[in-house]
Structures are given as structure tokens and as C-alpha cells.
Amino acid sequence: MPASTLRLGVNIDHVATIRNARGGRHPDPVKAALLAVEAGADGITAHLREDRRHIRDDDITRLKARLTKPLNFEMAATREMVDIALKARPHAACIVPERRQEITTEGGLDVVRQHNHLVPVIAEMKAAGIRVSLFIAADEKQIDTAAEVGAPVIEIHTGAWCEAVIDGHNTMAAIEFERIKKGAARARSLGLEVHAGHGLDYQTAETISMLPEIVELNIGHFLVGEAIFTSLSTSIREMRAAMDRGAARRPAS
Ligand code: PXP
């Protein structure tokens, strides 16, 4: 796989978090999204939460109007969010858990428990031409059920692995990475497209880019945090380079 076909989705939520701390317009997440695209992002990810903690409705409208790259809308599977997605028609929508009871022990969406709720939601969004993904742990049952409920894409939750790496818990990190590796292979064998994200930094992004099944990484917090020390363009360019280094080490197919 040529390194350049591995996509980087830049999550701009935390630009909005800083803006919202003062309640004004600065820094504008839409301006950050346009800058991210210039710096090499293949898409922009934004999570409209029920409490509008970071991205707001108006940000989604402005993103849709101005973005030249695909918009990936992160959302809970609620009627309100489905209606917003159907109106905004983003390229993709990633269904994430919003409340504690929707989460598996590993932190991803509990697709097994929510099977009956998710089937019509996914069908409705797919019928509107939105590419639906499910943000799940690399758990065999969750992956199999994701395929059953009709989602074409999964995004593997990398949070537990990234935390173990950062905390230097090497045994735990190795176990978590093995789980992600096996999960990615299983998902691909079921015909699912595989994305990954949460907590990734340069090091973990480079490592996970070596997995041949992964076609997209969605990264936000680290990039916005690094921008304090360098710039958003620099952190995105360095992330792109880290991903390309990892992807270049994929096994020959
Ligand atoms: N992917 C999904 C589905 C997410 O919910 C998040 C966090 O909003 C991310 C990726 C990005 O995670 P981070 O901000 O830790 O890079």
C-alpha cells in the first residue's frame, strides 16, 4: 500500500473547546479545519455533542459550506443527531457512545447491546448516502455485530493502548496492540473498512500505521496540543510524516 493512501482525518473539536472557554468566536474551528486541509489533512472530523461542549450546530453548517475535503461527523445515535446528519449530509458519520450505558468495558460503542437500535439508524443514514462507521473496541463480538448491523466501516478505539504506551505499561501495551491487530484483521476479513483513533500521538500513529488493514486515522487532541509548541500546520505535517513512516513498513502484500 503506498503510504499516501493512508488517510489522516483531523479532529478539530479541541479548537472549539478553547473557543468555548471564553464563549466568543476565537479560535475558529472552521479556520483551523481549512488550515488543516492546507497542511495535508485528508478529511475533517467534528463531534457535535448533545451538550454542544465543543462543536456547535453553526460550525457544522460552516464546515459543510467551506470544506474542500470530506467531513466526518461524529455523533451519538439519537434522533436529534440523525436528523442533523440527514440535513447536513456529511461524507461520513461515525457513531460514538454519548452516555456511560452505551459504552463497552473497553470504551467503544456497545454494538451488541444496541443492535436493534442501530440497525434502522444505520439504514437511514446509508440511504441518504452517508458512509457510516461505528467507533468500537477491537473486540471480536463487537466487530462481528458491526458487520451484522450493516455498517460498512468501523473505527477501532485506540485509547487503552495509547494510555498504556504513554504510561510505560509495556506488557499491557503489547496486549492491547495485539488485540487491535487481530481486530483489524478480523474486521477486514468480514469486508469492513477499518479506521482507528483516540489518544494517538506521533509514536502510536507511526506504529499503528504499520497495520495493513488501517485506511484512516482520526486524530485531534494531540495535534491541537502540539500546536501550542509549534503550529497546527507543523503538528499535522509531522503527523503525516509519522504515518507515512509507519505505512512504509507494512508487510509486502
Ligand atoms: N475518533 C473518535 C471516534 C473520537 O471520538 C475521537 C475523540 O473525539 C477521536 C477519534 C480523536 O481522539 P483524540 O482527540 O484523542 O485524538
Side-chain angles (χ1 to χ4, degrees):
M1 179 191 204
S4 58
T5 57
L6 172 63
R7 301 190 297 264
L8 169 61
V10 172
N11 182 316
I12 52 160
D13 292 350
H14 293 295
V15 177
T17 306
I18 299 170
R19 175 195 61 188
N20 298 354
R22 285 284 170 94
R25 292 171 191 267
H26 183 80
D28 181 8
V30 178
K31 185 172 174 185
L34 300 177
L35 192 72
V37 168
E38 252 179 59
D42 300 293
I44 296 297
T45 296
H47 185 179
L48 188 68
R49 286 182 173 270
E50 278 179 51
D51 62 6
R52 308 303 196 262
R53 183 185 317 169
H54 24 61
I55 294 297
R56 301 177 187 144
D57 301 62
D58 162 62
D59 297 327
I60 296 292
T61 311
R62 291 187 303 126
L63 280 169
K64 256 307 274 187
R66 301 197 53 196
L67 262 189
T68 51
K69 292 276 175 162
L71 173 64
N72 174 32
F73 181 55
E74 281 181 8
M75 54 175 278
T78 61
R79 191 63 249 165
E80 181 198 11
M81 290 303 153
V82 173
D83 286 342
I84 292 172
L86 293 177
K87 197 163 154 232
R89 301 280 167 121
H91 166 78
C94 180
I95 300 183
V96 301
E98 182 106 9
R99 297 186 201 84
R100 205 67 238 163
Q101 64 268 29
E102 296 164 352
I103 302 175
T104 59
T105 45
E106 297 89 2
L109 184 72
D110 195 341
V111 187
V112 175
R113 237 167 102 190
Q114 294 203 63
H115 179 287
N116 294 348
H117 173 65
L118 289 170
V119 168
V121 168
I122 293 167
E124 199 177 354
M125 293 207 294
K126 274 168 72 178
I130 301 168
R131 194 152 171 82
V132 180
S133 79
L134 302 176
F135 184 46
I136 60 172
D139 171 88
E140 197 175 296
K141 265 204 282 180
Q142 298 292 340
I143 292 166
D144 292 1
T145 315
E148 259 174 56
V149 295
V153 184
I154 61 161
E155 179 164 327
I156 295 181
H157 195 315
T158 52
W161 170 56
C162 291
E163 252 177 56
V165 172
I166 288 163
D167 294 344
H169 295 148
N170 297 345
T171 310
M172 184 52 73
I175 292 170
E176 288 295 336
F177 189 67
E178 197 51 37
R179 229 154 59 88
I180 292 171
K181 197 172 157 186
K182 265 178 66 185
R186 185 172 187 90
R188 194 64 213 112
S189 75
L190 294 170
L192 293 163
E193 183 175 308
V194 187
H195 303 175
H198 202 94
L200 293 168
D201 60 12
Y202 296 140
Q203 184 195 346
T204 44
E206 179 170 342
T207 305
I208 202 165
S209 296
M210 294 193 299
L211 299 183
E213 297 85 4
I214 309 271
V215 300
E216 180 176 307
L217 298 180
N218 285 299
I219 309 177
H221 188 268
F222 179 79
L223 292 173
V224 174
E226 270 296 287
I228 293 170
F229 308 114
T230 58
S231 72
L232 189 59
S233 305
T234 305
S235 65
I236 290 168
R237 286 203 178 94
E238 287 190 15
M239 184 58 77
R240 182 75 256 176
M243 288 165 60
D244 290 348
R245 278 194 303 276
R249 287 162 61 200
R250 290 180 174 199
S253 53

